[in-house]
Amino acid sequence: GAGVSQSPSNKVTEKGKDVELRCDPISGHTALYWYRQSLGQGLEFLIYFQGNSAPDKSGLPSDRFSAERTGGSVSTLTIQRTQQEDSAVYLCASSLSWGLGNTIYFGEGSWLTVV
Amino acid sequence: GQQVMQIPQYQHVQEGEDFTTYCNSSTTLSNIQWYKQRPGGHPVFLIQLVKSGEVKKQKRLTFQFGEAKKNSSLHITATQTTDVGTYFCAGPGGSGGGNKLTFGTGTQLKVEL
């Protein structure tokens, strides 16, 4: 696609429910990233997929968070048993390659509210 | 772990005034990138600096990478209301190599008429 596409754009869920957030990167981009941004805060790295290599999961805040990337394209971020502190904008991004200096393009984000 | 701090956290200016945000990393960076995030929007890439002491200009924006490659600055001359947003610096961070970026804390710019 022309840009990084994320869905849903907004999600309100009850505490304890599971949520899935989807990211469709720019066509041909081999690297895909998930970041989280709480209201008025900076960007917190979550996970990073680079080609066919094992993902870098070092930023996932707990074992309730997981992500997968199927076929080297679409990625799904799953949050199990959501908590109120999970409320944030979840930003997906992609880059042409995973080498240093590749420009990262962000999607519009998925705004998650846990009530 | 790596930390990237920016100052100031907030800046209010009158339209036409200049603005500068400073970025400092706890570790040496191979490159530094700058992003702008409009209110309610997503970060958008502005520029990348690679060389020690490098200076790049984009119209009214001047970006500089420090000699030690641990700090950077973004200067906006004669701000306009369209400059409103949060400016983030970002550098490659953490283990594992690759392009995983650690973002700075951001500087929120407000421009008043």
Side-chain angles (χ1 to χ4, degrees):
Chain A
V4 178
S5 178
Q6 292 188 245
S7 61
S9 55
N10 285 284
K11 175 73 175 179
V12 179
T13 190
E14 292 181 351
K15 178 181 174 182
K17 294 286 181 71
D18 297 352
V19 296
E20 286 189 349
L21 307 176
R22 175 189 167 101
C23 173
D24 197 348
I26 293 173
S27 178
H29 280 197
T30 57
L32 186 147
Y33 318 76
W34 283 98
Y35 283 84
R36 177 170 72 174
Q37 187 174 32
S38 300
L39 188 62
Q41 301 298 311
L43 284 80
E44 174 189 5
F45 168 77
L46 297 178
I47 189 169
Y48 165 41
F49 295 88
Q50 40 184 343
N52 295 321
S53 302
D56 180 340
K57 304 179 181 181
S58 59
L60 294 178
S62 77
D63 58 7
R64 296 186 295 104
F65 288 73
S66 63
E68 62 177 19
R69 188 179 186 190
T70 54
S73 181
V74 173
S75 175
T76 302
L77 176 68
T78 301
I79 308 173
Q80 296 178 310
R81 305 180 301 282
T82 52
Q83 303 294 314
Q84 288 184 333
E85 61 263 28
D86 299 334
S87 296
V89 179
Y90 289 81
L91 291 159
C92 178
S94 69
S95 62
L96 186 60
S97 180
W98 54 85
L100 284 175
N102 274 270
T103 300
I104 293 178
Y105 298 89
F106 283 87
E108 297 286 341
S110 290
W111 295 68
L112 175 66
T113 303
V114 181
V115 297
Chain B
Q2 180 191 46
Q3 291 186 329
V4 182
M5 304 297 293
Q6 285 182 251
I7 56 171
Q9 187 176 6
Y10 302 100
Q11 184 80 60
H12 288 198
V13 299
Q14 295 290 322
E15 187 177 42
E17 293 182 339
D18 293 354
F19 159 77
T20 304
T21 172
Y22 300 90
C23 173
N24 292 284
S25 171
S26 59
T27 60
T28 301
L29 301 170
S30 58
N31 68 78
I32 195 157
Q33 300 181 16
W34 284 90
Y35 291 77
K36 177 184 178 181
Q37 184 174 26
R38 294 183 185 276
H42 60 281
V44 175
F45 174 81
L46 293 177
I47 205 162
Q48 176 180 258
L49 305 171
V50 179
K51 300 177 182 177
S52 170
E54 186 172 12
V55 178
K56 286 189 176 181
K57 292 188 176 183
Q58 288 181 349
K59 297 182 180 179
R60 296 178 294 104
L61 278 60
T62 301
F63 303 84
Q64 186 168 10
F65 201 7
E67 294 290 341
K69 302 184 77 173
K70 294 184 69 175
N71 58 72
S72 181
S73 65
L74 158 59
H75 179 81
I76 303 177
T77 303
T79 54
Q80 301 175 359
T81 54
T82 52
D83 296 325
V84 166
T86 301
Y87 292 85
F88 293 97
C89 61
S95 61
N99 204 26
K100 181 178 73 176
L101 293 178
T102 296
F103 280 79
T105 47
T107 295
Q108 184 179 350
L109 172 64
K110 291 190 176 181
V111 180
E112 299 173 354
L113 293 172

